[in-house]
């Protein structure tokens, strides 16, 4: 029986889709059968980040409406056999996400996967609420910046009151913080909220800190989830976050200054 | 750096300012997050009733739900200090009370800004 994970944030542009792609691919790398679903109806982008935009034939809304079968719409990743992408519609609007339809599709996916990763749209409207409604776990993607932290707090409140688990008085959604676009340099200069600051304000368990990294844009340019880039610090940080999600203890990296070796400094590589 | 901080003590780092601002705004928002849906309607009704007797602006009447220990409080604060009393109807509201009335489910705990009238 699959576990449903939602990546959500309230605020747009904080790295939800990048993180959904990375976490889903990271789970697949750990041998978990994983599907990642794009809930951002009308603003489809997960397909581009995953590099399968030219293979989309049917989408989430087609399956909800019964116009296509699930196995016609699921796209198998070419890099990892455990990973599937479920694209959304680019032409419909978010009202096409009917809750009963979404539930039926999720139930069918549950039998075939270990993890269902839901990439939420920004905002707190219908699309975002539908994405988080069925979640067992939530990963709150947050930037160390005031508007993102405030919106994260709001979305944590919504998870606690409007999710299926809340409405049915079940065990609450288990929430995790993923702090992205973190710049240790700027934190040291006192120009950016530190991981401790954000932790103190939001007080939910920290899943990982992803350093701001040029490799993330390079990965999205080529349609490769960042965890497939072994060289990338951000990719390694996501791999660590996935391990923590699976219950492993891993020390937080990229949070305290690393000593740069003489040769690395010479080569100018962080 | 330390010397600079010493010489220009008013220059606080911006991350510290961000943290303080967030703490304040979130404390406020979290308190109203759990508020029941009827509060705005209740506030409007109360304004209508009080407004029959004194001229009162919307921001002079505040309705909150809070907690004091194990007791849930419905807290209604009406500020009528300086408000103009309307002509008495049917003998009601003849004299203007100087300060505030506070109606609450729990009479024990008074908000600090409310002076008992």
């Amino acid at each position: 029986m699959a576990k449903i994970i939602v990546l959500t944030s309230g605020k747009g542009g904080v790295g939800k889709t990048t993180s959904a792609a990375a976490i889903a691919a990271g789970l697949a790398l750990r041998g978990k059968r994983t599907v990642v679903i794009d809930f951002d109806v009308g603003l489809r982008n997960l397909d581009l980040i995953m590099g399968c935009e030219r293979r989309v034939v049917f989408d989430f809304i087609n399956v909800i409406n019964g116009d296509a079968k699930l196995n016609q719409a699921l796209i198998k990743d070419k890099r990892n056999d455990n990973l599937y992408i479920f694209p959304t519609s680019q032409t419909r609007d978010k009202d096409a996400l009917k809750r009963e339809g979404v539930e039926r599709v999720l139930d069918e996916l549950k039998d075939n996967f270990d993890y269902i990763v839901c990439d939420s749209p920004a905002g707190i409207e219908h699309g975002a609420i539908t994405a988080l409604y069925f979640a067992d776990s939530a990963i709150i993607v947050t930037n160390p910046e005031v508007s993102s932290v405030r919106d994260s707090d709001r979305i944590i409140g919504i998870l606690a009151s409007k999710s299926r688990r809340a409405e049915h008085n079940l065990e609450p959604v288990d929430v995790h913080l993923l702090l992205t676009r973190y710049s240790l340099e700027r934190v040291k200069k006192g120009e950016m909220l530190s991981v401790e600051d954000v932790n103190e304000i939001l007080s939910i368990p920290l899943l990982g800190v992803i350093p701001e990294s040029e490799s993330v844009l390079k990965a999205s340019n080529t349609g490769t989830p960042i965890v497939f880039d072994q060289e990338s610090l951000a990719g390694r940080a996501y791999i660590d976050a996935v391990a923590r999600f699976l219950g492993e203890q891993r020390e937080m990296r990229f949070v305290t200054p690393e000593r740069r070796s003489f040769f690395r400094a010479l080569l100018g590589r962080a | 750096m330390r010397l600079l901080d010493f010489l220009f003590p008013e220059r606080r780092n911006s991350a510290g300012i961000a943290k303080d601002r967030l703490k304040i705004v979130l404390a406020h928002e979290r308190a109203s997050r759990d508020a029941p849906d009827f509060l705005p309607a209740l506030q409007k009704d109360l304004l209508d009733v009080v407004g029959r007797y004194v001229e009162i602006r919307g921001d002079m009447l505040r309705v909150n739900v809070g907690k004091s220990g194990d007791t849930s409080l419905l807290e209604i604060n009406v500020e009528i200090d300086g408000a103009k009393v309307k002509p008495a109807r049917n003998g009601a509201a003849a004299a203007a009370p100087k300060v505030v009335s506070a109606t609450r489910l729990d009479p024990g705990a008074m908000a600090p800004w409310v002076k008992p009238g």
Side-chain angles (χ1 to χ4, degrees):
Chain A
M1 198 64 164
K3 193 170 189 182
I4 302 177
I5 309 167
V6 63
L7 280 97
T8 186
S9 66
K11 191 178 180 302
V14 295
K16 275 186 299 299
T17 302
T18 301
S19 299
I23 299 278
L27 285 165
L29 285 172
R30 297 290 303 263
K32 309 292 181 190
R33 282 181 62 80
T34 306
V35 57
V36 54
I37 311 178
D38 192 345
F39 272 77
D40 202 348
V41 183
L43 293 167
R44 173 163 95 199
N45 275 319
L46 183 67
D47 56 337
L48 272 179
I49 301 298
M50 297 295 295
C52 65
E53 69 278 7
R54 296 176 65 180
R55 297 168 65 203
V56 177
V57 182
F58 294 110
D59 60 54
F60 195 16
I61 305 300
N62 292 142
V63 178
I64 288 175
N65 292 340
D67 300 332
K69 292 224 168 70
L70 194 53
N71 58 18
Q72 294 176 294
L74 287 181
I75 300 171
K76 190 169 195 252
D77 188 82
K78 288 191 168 162
R79 295 151 295 214
N80 190 300
D81 288 343
N82 295 314
L83 185 57
Y84 286 78
I85 300 107
F86 197 177
T88 195
S89 165
Q90 177 70 329
T91 51
R92 304 292 295 272
D93 61 51
K94 292 184 173 54
D95 295 334
L97 282 173
K98 296 270 179 288
R99 193 172 280 177
E100 300 72 35
V102 172
E103 182 167 30
R104 209 177 52 241
V105 174
L106 289 176
D107 280 344
E108 200 179 335
L109 287 168
K110 271 186 178 177
D111 297 331
N112 298 303
F113 288 95
D114 299 317
Y115 289 96
I116 300 172
V117 177
C118 304
D119 180 23
S120 171
I124 50 170
E125 313 302 325
H126 175 73
I129 302 295
T130 310
L132 66 78
Y133 185 77
F134 296 101
D136 301 307
S137 295
I139 296 175
I140 314 294
V141 184
T142 307
N143 292 167
E145 177 272 325
V146 285
S147 52
S148 175
V149 174
R150 181 197 214 171
D151 292 358
S152 293
D153 191 73
R154 181 96 168 90
I155 217 84
I156 293 166
I158 290 172
L159 279 159
S161 63
K162 295 203 173 136
S163 60
R164 185 186 66 93
R165 284 175 170 272
E167 284 188 356
H168 291 76
N169 285 319
L170 302 169
E171 204 177 307
V173 178
D174 127 70
V175 286
H176 307 267
L177 173 66
L178 186 66
L179 198 57
T180 57
R181 311 197 68 166
Y182 195 74
S183 164
L184 189 56
E185 286 299 312
R186 304 199 72 185
V187 169
K188 279 194 291 186
K189 284 189 206 156
E191 292 176 359
M192 182 181 268
L193 290 165
S194 69
V195 57
E196 293 81 14
D197 292 339
V198 180
N199 242 342
E200 185 186 324
I201 292 165
L202 293 178
S203 54
I204 56 172
L206 179 66
L207 191 64
V209 179
I210 313 298
E212 172 87 68
S213 160
E214 289 174 10
S215 58
V216 173
L217 181 58
K218 284 188 198 157
S220 87
N221 285 343
T222 58
T224 316
I226 189 73
V227 290
F228 290 129
D229 181 354
Q230 309 281 341
E231 298 284 299
S232 157
L233 296 185
R236 278 153 58 193
Y238 277 113
I239 296 272
D240 283 352
V242 168
R244 287 187 204 103
F245 189 82
L246 295 174
E248 285 176 31
Q249 297 286 331
R250 292 216 180 171
E251 205 182 324
M252 288 288 165
R253 291 192 276 181
F254 322 116
V255 173
T256 43
E258 264 179 90
R259 209 177 276 163
R260 290 175 85 185
S261 75
F262 173 70
F263 286 109
R264 284 202 151 196
L266 207 64
L267 291 166
R269 290 186 51 181
Chain B
M1 200 61 198
R2 282 278 151 79
L3 184 65
L4 273 178
D5 285 346
F6 180 73
L7 289 173
F8 305 101
E10 73 277 13
R11 275 187 48 190
R12 281 196 56 205
N13 77 45
S14 62
I17 296 169
K19 186 180 176 187
D20 292 346
R21 290 174 62 220
L22 269 171
K23 277 184 163 175
I24 291 165
V25 75
L26 289 183
H28 185 75
E29 287 175 1
R30 284 169 185 162
S32 56
R33 178 192 293 168
D34 305 322
D37 295 339
F38 64 76
L39 280 194
L42 175 64
Q43 176 164 20
K44 188 182 165 299
D45 286 352
L46 286 168
L47 264 175
D48 287 347
V49 173
V50 178
R52 283 182 217 153
Y53 301 90
V54 278
E55 279 174 17
I56 181 173
R57 292 186 317 272
D59 62 327
M60 294 163 80
L61 191 149
R62 286 182 301 271
V63 183
N64 290 307
V65 169
K67 267 198 171 288
S68 170
D70 292 336
T71 318
S72 291
L73 297 180
L74 174 64
E75 193 174 53
I76 301 167
N77 291 302
V78 190
E79 174 197 331
I80 56 170
D81 196 18
K84 201 172 154 199
V85 180
K86 289 187 173 175
R89 296 184 324 175
N90 306 330
K98 194 74 186 135
V99 191
V100 176
S101 74
T103 311
R104 45 188 73 233
L105 301 181
D106 172 8
M110 299 288 269
W113 63 82
V114 178
K115 290 171 238 143

